[in-house]
Amino acid sequence: MDTLDPTRPTGAAGATAPAAPPPASPPARERSRRPSWRLLAPVGGLYGVQFVVPLAFLVVMSFWIPVAGGSPEAGFTLDNYRDVLGDGFTLGIFWRTLTMGVATGLLCLALGFPVAYGIVRAPRRWRTPLLLLVLMPFLVSAVIRSFGWMVLLADNGIVTRLLRGIGLVDGGLMYTMPGLIIAMTHVFLPIMVLVLYGVLERIDPRLEEAAANLGASRPRTVAFVVFPLALPGVLAGTLLVLTLAMSSFVTPAMIAGPRLRVVATEIYDQAVNLLNWPLAAAMAILLMALILAVSALFTRVLMRIVPGGTR
Amino acid sequence: MSRTRDWPLYVVMAVVILFLLSPLIVVVGASVTTSSFLEFPPRGFSLKWFEEVLGQEVWTTTLITSVKLAVVSMAIATVVGIPCSIALARGDFRGRAAITAFVLSPLMVPSIVLAISLLIIYSRTGIDLPFWRLALAHGVLTAPYLIRTLTAALEQVDSSLEEAARNLGATPVGAWLRVVLPTVRPALIAAMFFAFIMSFDELVVALFLSGPRLTTLPMQIYGEIQYNLSPAIAAVSTLLIFLTVAGVLVIERVLGVRRLVR
């Protein structure tokens, strides 16, 4: 599954973290100044075996020498990175992954903001049913949702016929970038709505009433009062969706197919079908680097907009 | 503020929510067709595809595999997550921020990257226990969510309650189980439910790690879609959609939807 996160987005809702240290706890059981290693040992053990060591070995593997049809040879070469970065085809895959991520993030924001805002300002009894409607598709497997899109986007699918009817497309949407972005937007939209809901819920409605009393229309109020206040959450949510979209495998594999590769599907192909682990490892590391670079860029923007940072 | 002028907002909301539900509606619709290929709107109405699916052993065996896997990885996430959350919620020790960041770091790593690294390491070491390596991997994927939710809940608990129990003679474990656990139970159940669903739905790591002898339900659906596209897949998917909806509604009844949103 594409990693999902309804519980709490990075940064966006970080403000709900315990504001103050718990009510003046007496030093009876002295609030430990050092971590309890015994309590941390299980998680440390699990992560060590299943997370730290494998990732470290992935880095090592990315410098090994691939052997056609055999297991890679230990050594040190930069050829794998050179093969990825020096090749127009793979660079194109990285570029497509980035644009797909950006398009998905922006579309999710455009569709998610009105929904989240509408739920926050809806009459109280409507809020839970509306949230459930957003949450349900989110908890259904991405495989099933993408399968639904395969039916919708097929040559005779409803969405294709609809868009053809208004002259937006002329062929089927399966195996095309627009089709992929529609399906990706669907997969990640609930996350965006949940992040924005958490942020918008905390904006004092009296601010909007004040704006309305001063004669501002609802759209003006949202644009000049609500949106700026929600900006940290907007950026955090967009970043979250963008990074998840860039690393997602299921939907691109099903909707875009082998003709329209993204980094995740290419890694799968190299690792499982072509057994070129060193190259797949280099691609995986470059994907993480790309995601980190995009995150760093977003964080810089965020810091500039929000005085004093986000947390 | 007047509600009458809000109708454009409600129209947009309705359209977007319809967009969110559309693939689910289509899958459910396509599952009752009488024809032998996928189409929406369906042709006629029949439950023959459900009959076919329920009669085929692959679907029940893969379903059982996926449920077992989800239960075991949820248990792993819970067993490592509870002590870790207690440690994090308790102390303002030096390095707490660093440890928290480390514990949550699997959230930052794309599952495709974790999947390829686990594939490489397991192939190199020759460990061939497909179920257990997959369960442990899912444990890593889900533990951060559980730890984050539970730590936040534990931080809200007044520590004097636990101290009172200790002063009255309870053991540390007893005090935790009988005093602290009940107050954070809703958060814990919501987090465990989420861990279960995540593992049950997970495809990427499963594709890399399962090997030829283990097939989970999402893998089976994914494979069928590639080689044998028929309304039977829609029938299986419909059953899963109904199960998920039922699960969400139960959790909503018991804990309230806010537990899942937060």
Side-chain angles (χ1 to χ4, degrees):
Chain A
M1 175 164 84
D2 300 298
T3 324
L4 305 160
D5 180 5
T7 42
R8 191 159 347 128
T10 44
T16 48
S25 61
R29 184 198 64 211
E30 73 260 16
R31 280 185 72 73
S32 32
R33 296 238 123 243
R34 60 185 61 202
S36 159
W37 295 115
R38 260 196 320 175
L39 292 174
L40 291 169
V43 84
L46 177 68
Y47 279 27
V49 175
Q50 288 282 304
F51 184 65
V52 179
V53 171
L55 282 182
F57 191 62
L58 184 77
V59 177
V60 173
M61 177 59 80
S62 72
F63 297 109
W64 283 17
I65 302 143
V67 176
S71 53
E73 199 180 302
F76 183 85
T77 175
L78 292 173
D79 282 353
N80 302 310
Y81 289 94
R82 223 169 272 145
D83 283 351
V84 178
L85 297 174
D87 179 39
F89 180 71
T90 40
L91 273 187
I93 293 176
F94 272 83
W95 175 247
R96 179 180 301 129
T97 306
L98 181 64
T99 48
M100 175 190 71
V102 172
T104 305
L106 293 179
L107 261 174
C108 281
L109 177 60
L111 298 181
F113 192 89
V115 174
Y117 178 76
I119 297 179
V120 169
R121 293 286 170 256
R124 182 164 280 279
R125 71 200 139 90
W126 282 103
R127 260 176 246 167
T128 301
L130 286 170
L131 276 175
L132 281 177
L133 282 180
V134 174
L135 196 65
M136 277 191 209
F138 173 60
L139 292 176
V140 170
S141 166
V143 181
I144 293 175
R145 292 194 276 156
S146 304
F147 168 60
W149 280 107
M150 289 175 73
V151 180
L152 283 164
L153 298 174
D155 283 356
N156 59 350
I158 293 188
V159 171
T160 309
R161 275 185 284 171
L162 199 77
L163 293 181
R164 211 187 286 147
I166 53 177
L168 270 178
V169 294
D170 42 346
L173 281 166
M174 275 296 285
Y175 315 117
T176 67
M177 196 64 172
L180 175 60
I181 288 171
I182 292 175
M184 292 289 282
T185 303
H186 177 267
V187 171
F188 295 108
L189 183 57
I191 301 180
M192 181 64 99
V193 173
L194 296 176
V195 171
L196 290 177
Y197 177 82
V199 176
L200 290 172
E201 199 190 20
R202 257 174 272 125
I203 295 175
D204 192 339
R206 283 175 299 183
L207 291 170
E208 284 173 70
E209 280 157 32
N213 289 341
L214 294 171
S217 65
R218 174 69 74 118
R220 258 184 90 82
T221 311
V222 172
F224 293 104
V225 177
V226 180
F227 193 80
L229 286 170
L231 206 52
V234 164
L235 282 173
T238 310
L239 176 62
L240 182 68
V241 168
L242 197 157
T243 53
L244 287 175
M246 282 174 63
S247 53
S248 105
F249 169 84
V250 177
T251 309
M254 291 173 66
I255 304 289
R259 272 191 269 164
L260 212 59
R261 288 153 197 252
V262 296
V263 177
T265 53
E266 185 65 14
I267 291 174
Y268 179 79
D269 207 32
Q270 290 292 340
V272 175
N273 297 334
L274 304 173
L275 295 174
N276 190 341
W277 292 348
L279 190 65
M283 276 182 185
I285 284 158
L286 288 171
L287 175 65
M288 294 234 297
L290 181 62
I291 288 175
L292 278 179
V294 173
S295 306
L297 194 73
F298 257 75
T299 314
R300 276 188 72 145
V301 173
L302 199 64
M303 290 302 188
R304 193 158 300 171
I305 289 173
V306 190
T310 46
R311 272 156 230 277
Chain B
M1 257 177 283
S2 72
R3 298 216 171 278
T4 46
R5 267 184 296 153
D6 286 343
W7 66 266
L9 176 64
Y10 293 134
V11 170
V12 172
M13 279 175 78
V15 171
V16 175
I17 288 179
L18 181 68
F19 169 73
L20 274 176
L21 297 178
S22 57
L24 307 187
I25 296 169
V26 163
V27 167
V28 174
S31 71
V32 296
T33 189
T34 52
S35 65
S36 56
F37 49 95
L38 276 167
E39 55 187 338
F40 187 89
R43 212 162 285 204
F45 179 89
S46 92
L47 295 177
K48 68 170 179 179
W49 293 108
F50 288 89
E51 260 172 63
E52 179 175 324
V53 161
L54 294 174
Q56 276 176 342
E57 212 182 314
V58 270
W59 295 113
T60 36
T61 37
T62 51
L63 172 70
I64 292 169
T65 305
S66 279
V67 170
K68 271 193 211 158
L69 182 67
V71 168
V72 171
S73 53
M74 176 186 79
I76 293 171
T78 311
V79 166
V80 303
I82 289 179
C84 172
S85 304
I86 294 174
L88 289 179
R90 226 184 238 173
D92 33 30
F93 48 82
R94 213 179 311 157
R96 183 180 187 274
I99 292 177
T100 307
F102 171 69
V103 167
L104 298 184
S105 59
L107 297 177
M108 307 292 155
V109 176
S111 48
I112 184 90
V113 174
L114 186 63
I116 167 93
S117 26
L118 287 168
L119 169 77
I120 290 174
I121 202 107
Y122 276 117
S123 304
R124 298 290 302 183
T125 51
I127 296 172
D128 186 30
L129 294 163
F131 182 85
W132 287 101
R133 62 192 197 187
L134 191 48
L136 287 169
H138 280 182
V140 171
L141 286 180
T142 51
Y145 293 97
L146 189 131
I147 291 169
R148 194 172 50 184
T149 309
L150 190 59
T151 305
L154 284 171
E155 277 166 341
Q156 307 298 319
V157 178
D158 186 350
S159 60
S160 56
L161 288 175
E162 199 179 351
E163 279 150 27
R166 291 294 309 281
N167 290 341
L168 294 169
T171 61
V173 176
W176 197 86
L177 285 179
R178 273 189 271 158
V179 177
V180 182
L181 179 61
T183 58
V184 297
R185 192 179 286 142
L188 181 62
I189 293 175
M192 286 171 73
F193 171 74
F194 189 65
F196 180 92
I197 292 260
M198 267 189 73
S199 165
F200 187 81
D201 287 344
E202 207 280 334
L203 175 69
V204 181
V205 177
L207 277 180
F208 277 83
L209 277 194
S210 58
R213 283 180 292 123
L214 186 82
T215 310
T216 66
L217 190 53
M219 284 173 67
Q220 180 68 26
I221 298 176
Y222 181 74
E224 285 283 312
I225 286 170
Q226 290 184 317
Y227 301 110
N228 182 23
L229 205 57
S230 90
I233 307 165
V236 176
S237 305
T238 300
L239 294 175
L240 287 180
I241 290 171
F242 285 153
L243 274 180
T244 310
V245 170
V248 173
L249 289 179
V250 167
I251 291 284
E252 205 281 316
R253 278 281 139 195
V254 180
L255 308 170
V257 71
R258 320 207 117 228
R259 283 282 169 206
L260 286 173
V261 172
R262 205 142 287 257

